[in-house]
Amino acid sequence: MSQDELVALPASISVETAARAIGLGRTRAYQLARRGEFPCKVIRIGASYRVVTVDLRRPLGIEPN
């Protein structure tokens, strides 16, 4: 995923999209999210997980404009 694509993401994204951005597979991403070990903030809403995009950008070194 390019830096331009990361900057264009909405405020929250799926775990799958966040995993793709940081180079993780889907299964591993969900394992980390369930254990609270995903590299950025994950919010659980019912049975789904959402990643706060601004928190994803920080470990990737992309500052919001």
Side-chain angles (χ1 to χ4, degrees):
M1 187 175 284
S2 72
Q3 184 169 341
D4 289 338
E5 289 173 315
L6 286 167
V7 170
L9 291 172
S12 72
I13 56 175
S14 68
V15 169
E16 291 98 342
T17 302
R20 189 168 51 108
I22 58 178
L24 287 174
R26 180 183 181 276
T27 302
R28 182 70 173 144
Y30 276 106
Q31 288 172 345
L32 293 173
R34 278 192 287 277
R35 292 193 308 230
E37 297 174 4
F38 200 79
C40 55
K41 185 174 184 175
V42 176
I43 299 170
R44 185 160 184 188
I45 302 171
S48 68
Y49 293 89
R50 300 295 292 177
V51 173
V52 178
T53 305
V54 71
D55 290 333
L56 171 67
R57 291 179 186 147
R58 284 189 193 115
L60 295 174
I62 300 171
E63 296 299 322
N65 295 335

